[in-house]
């Protein structure tokens, strides 16, 4: 375990000049990652599979390209871990679910294919909560093994937070990129809906792929290299932006969103968030809240039931798929997942239609705020990662063992891009802040996040 106040993230972009001049190599970089994995993985438990032989071969090929002055991209040689919901041709895809034990399709997800085309070293598969839901896997928080790393991208977030890899791919339908990043001290991008090609993972209307990384440079580079090769989802224009990290952009005005999570934040987290906001005001950024403008209040009301809307939409869209899994292998699915399925099967088509209507109304309301401010800012999680030691036999199942996605639901239902920035520490644990923009403002949100990261002092 590493004390968060002493934490220095693992980065990749600053190693590439050494690859070019021969003072370092992608293979040596990979070996350092493997050394860290050997030291930390027994406690962190971030991975379901590690392909050391394949990674070494890919790193050696990358080293030859750098020596020849012909790298495929700026992430050529970068070790990347892949959430175990996404297919990989050289490692099983078991989705955190016993019913999929041994599942090995031997093909690449579109994003994984794009990463290989860019020369990235696909090193490992990371633990996911079962089927991308809320039933946790074995992964622990890299800064306190008694706490959750978040979910469902638990292994991806923890692997980056533990400095085992510089970047990893996560997915989100409610809060599964943003919240784990916030709990594990990562930067992360949850793109505009459809921004990165999901390949075979397009069954639900709100799922997205996005990178976790130790720095904004690596986060953006992974995302744009995928988008420049695989594009976005079918029918989507995909992620658009510069070929390297966007320039820092100082915001003039930010909307401070409370969301339905405001009432459950602990006092220490509120105090630290206020300190972030105070720094913004001192830097000349105007802040507006729900009491300051009727359109902000309208948005707060439109997203006030975000958890229920996200849960309803996704549960309905997953129910036939998951019913088939349960019918085929009842013992291979957790009781928590079965309980979620039961709630979905109690829904009617009109329940789903009403959730879609609420989502559409919220998106329209959000769009009307575009001229009002540069972005919205809020917490990325409701405080530090909660303690988690497992369900208690004989007691009801914990409703949210990987943490509450209350601050993440709004961007998911709005299809909006979000960048998570690790600006806070509460009780010695990381707590993230997020910037949310209008659809297709991914690059702008990254530029705003860069300005904040370079300008504001971390609140500890």
């Amino acid at each position: 375990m590493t004390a968060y106040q002493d934490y220095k993230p693992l980065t990749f972009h600053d190693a590439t000049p050494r690859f070019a001049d021969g003072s370092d190599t992608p293979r040596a970089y990979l070996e350092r990652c493997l050394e860290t994995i050997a030291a930390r993985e027994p406690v962190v438990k971030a991975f379901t599979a590690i392909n050391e032989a394949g990674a070494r071969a890919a790193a050696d090929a990358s080293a030859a390209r750098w020596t020849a002055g012909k790298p495929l991209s700026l992430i050529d040689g970068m070790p990347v871990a892949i959430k175990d919901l996404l297919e990989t041709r050289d490692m099983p895809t078991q989705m955190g679910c016993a019913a999929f034990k041994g599942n090995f399709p031997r093909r690449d997800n579109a994003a994984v294919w794009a990463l290989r085309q860019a020369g990235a070293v696909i090193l490992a598969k990371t633990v996911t909560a079962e089927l991308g839901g809320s039933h946790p896997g074995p992964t622990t928080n890299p800064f306190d093994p008694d706490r959750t790393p978040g979910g469902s991208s638990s292994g991806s977030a923890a692997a980056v937070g533990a400095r085992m890899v510089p970047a990893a791919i996560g997915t989100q339908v409610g809060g599964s990129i943003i919240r784990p990043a916030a709990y594990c001290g990562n930067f992360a991008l949850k793109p505009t809906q459809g921004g990165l090609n999901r390949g075979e993972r397009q069954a639900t209307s709100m799922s997205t792929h996005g990178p976790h990384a130790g720095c904004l440079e690596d986060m953006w580079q992974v995302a744009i290299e995928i988008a420049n090769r695989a594009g976005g989802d079918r029918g989507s224009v995909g992620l658009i932006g510069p070929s390297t990290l966007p320039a820092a952009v100082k915001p003039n005005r930010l909307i401070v969103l409370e969301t339905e999570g405001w009432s459950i934040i602990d006092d220490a987290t509120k105090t630290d968030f206020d300190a972030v906001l105070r720094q913004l005001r001192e830097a000349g950024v105007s802040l507006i809240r729900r009491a300051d403008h009727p359109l902000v209040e309208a948005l707060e009301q439109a997203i006030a039931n975000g958890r229920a809307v996200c849960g309803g939409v996704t549960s309905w869209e997953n129910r036939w798929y998951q019913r088939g899994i349960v019918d085929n292998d009842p013992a291979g699915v957790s009781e928590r997942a079965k309980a979620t399925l039961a709630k979905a099967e109690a829904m009617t088509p009109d329940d789903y239609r009403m959730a879609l209507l609420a989502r559409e109304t919220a998106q329209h309301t959000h769009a009307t705020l575009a001229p009002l401010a540069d972005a919205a800012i809020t917490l990325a999680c409701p405080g530090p990662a909660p303690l988690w030691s497992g369900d208690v036999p004989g007691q009801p199942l914990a409703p949210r063992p990987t943490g509450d996605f209350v601050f993440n639901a709004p961007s998911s239902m709005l299809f909006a891009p979000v960048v998570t920035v690790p600006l806070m520490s509460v009780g010695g644990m990381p707590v993230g802040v997020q910037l949310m923009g209008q659809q297709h403002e991914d690059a702008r949100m990254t530029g705003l996040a860069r300005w904040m990261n370079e300008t504001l002092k971390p609140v500890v």
Side-chain angles (χ1 to χ4, degrees):
M1 183 174 70
T2 300
Y4 185 58
Q5 59 268 27
D6 301 324
Y7 176 62
K8 301 294 182 185
L10 177 65
T11 56
F12 183 81
H13 72 98
D14 46 353
T16 55
R18 299 194 298 272
F19 298 164
D21 68 20
S23 60
D24 195 4
T25 67
R27 174 63 182 269
Y29 189 102
L30 171 65
E31 293 300 331
R32 294 193 293 272
C33 289
L34 291 172
E35 289 175 4
T36 305
I37 289 170
R40 300 216 58 190
E41 174 63 5
V43 173
V44 177
K45 301 176 183 175
F47 301 118
T48 62
I50 302 174
N51 183 6
E52 292 189 21
R56 286 184 169 119
D60 287 342
S62 174
R65 291 190 292 270
W66 280 102
T67 298
K70 296 180 179 180
L72 297 174
S73 76
L74 291 176
I75 62 168
D76 198 331
M78 174 189 279
V80 181
I82 307 296
K83 185 175 179 178
D84 196 33
L85 291 182
L86 280 61
E87 293 178 345
T88 45
R89 71 188 187 209
D90 50 3
M91 288 174 279
T93 302
Q94 301 176 106
M95 296 184 276
C97 182
F100 283 89
K101 184 176 177 60
N103 181 56
F104 201 158
R106 299 185 185 278
R107 57 182 175 246
D108 278 341
N109 174 272
V112 177
W113 171 86
L115 287 168
R116 292 195 206 271
Q117 291 292 307
V121 174
I122 305 303
L123 173 58
K125 300 296 286 291
T126 60
V127 172
T128 175
E130 181 187 34
L131 299 173
S134 62
H135 188 66
T139 309
T140 65
N141 191 289
F143 302 103
D144 183 348
D146 292 330
R147 295 177 185 268
T148 178
S152 62
S153 301
S154 49
S156 293
V160 171
R163 304 183 81 253
M164 296 192 284
V165 290
I169 302 300
T171 69
Q172 175 165 318
V173 290
S176 298
I177 294 173
I178 302 170
R179 188 178 72 263
Y183 285 162
C184 294
N186 304 165
F187 292 90
L189 170 66
K190 196 288 288 182
T192 297
Q193 184 62 41
L196 295 180
N197 193 332
R198 291 175 289 163
E200 77 281 357
R201 296 293 305 172
Q202 298 190 48
T204 56
S205 62
M206 288 194 300
S207 70
T208 54
H209 290 3
H212 290 249
C215 62
L216 283 168
E217 289 89 345
D218 292 345
M219 180 204 81
W220 178 258
Q221 207 65 48
V222 167
I224 201 65
E225 298 294 352
I226 293 171
N228 285 345
R229 289 163 176 79
D233 289 345
R234 53 181 179 254
S236 171
V237 299
L239 177 70
I240 298 173
S243 59
T244 57
L245 179 66
V249 178
K250 179 184 177 180
N252 293 311
R253 178 184 284 184
L254 294 173
I255 295 168
V256 180
L257 280 183
E258 295 182 358
T259 82
E260 61 182 315
W262 199 249
S263 63
I264 66 171
I265 309 170
D266 62 273
D267 290 341
T269 300
K270 275 189 179 179
T271 297
D272 283 6
F273 186 53
D274 284 343
V276 172
L277 299 180
R278 183 169 59 252
Q279 289 189 68
L280 287 168
R281 287 191 295 268
E282 291 170 352
V285 180
S286 298
L287 303 177
I288 53 174
R289 307 183 84 137
R290 61 192 311 166
D292 301 321
H293 200 287
L295 286 179
V296 178
E297 175 61 26
L299 179 60
E300 290 278 18
Q301 293 184 22
I303 61 175
N305 202 27
R307 276 184 302 196
V309 171
C310 289
V313 169
T314 301
S315 295
W316 176 270
E317 292 172 348
N318 273 333
R319 69 179 200 158
W320 296 279
Y321 157 70
Q322 293 186 357
R323 168 49 61 191
I325 297 170
V326 172
D327 286 349
N328 184 62
D329 187 0
V333 180
S334 71
E335 292 304 314
R336 185 173 276 106
K338 290 175 184 175
T340 299
L341 176 60
K343 291 179 181 178
E345 291 182 330
M347 292 176 66
T348 67
D350 280 342
D351 293 330
Y352 177 61
R353 292 172 186 135
M354 292 303 293
L356 292 180
L357 178 60
R359 188 174 75 180
E360 183 179 353
T361 300
Q363 289 176 6
H364 177 74
T365 304
H366 184 226
T368 65
L369 269 71
L372 191 62
D374 296 279
I377 185 172
T378 190
L379 290 163
C381 55
L387 296 167
W388 173 247
S389 59
D391 293 304
V392 179
Q395 298 293 319
L397 296 173
R400 298 184 182 95
T402 62
D404 198 325
F405 75 109
V406 65
F407 282 100
N408 319 130
S411 66
S412 291
M413 67 187 293
L414 296 173
F415 291 2
V418 163
V419 176
T420 304
V421 185
L423 279 176
M424 296 166 49
S425 173
V426 179
M429 294 294 294
V431 172
V433 172
Q434 61 177 321
L435 286 166
M436 181 180 75
Q438 297 292 325
Q439 293 181 25
H440 306 294
E441 289 189 339
D442 306 65
R444 182 169 174 78
M445 291 308 103
T446 303
L448 292 169
R450 180 177 181 179
W451 178 86
M452 285 180 56
N453 188 57
E454 292 175 354
T455 305
L456 306 186
K457 294 180 180 179
V459 178
V460 296

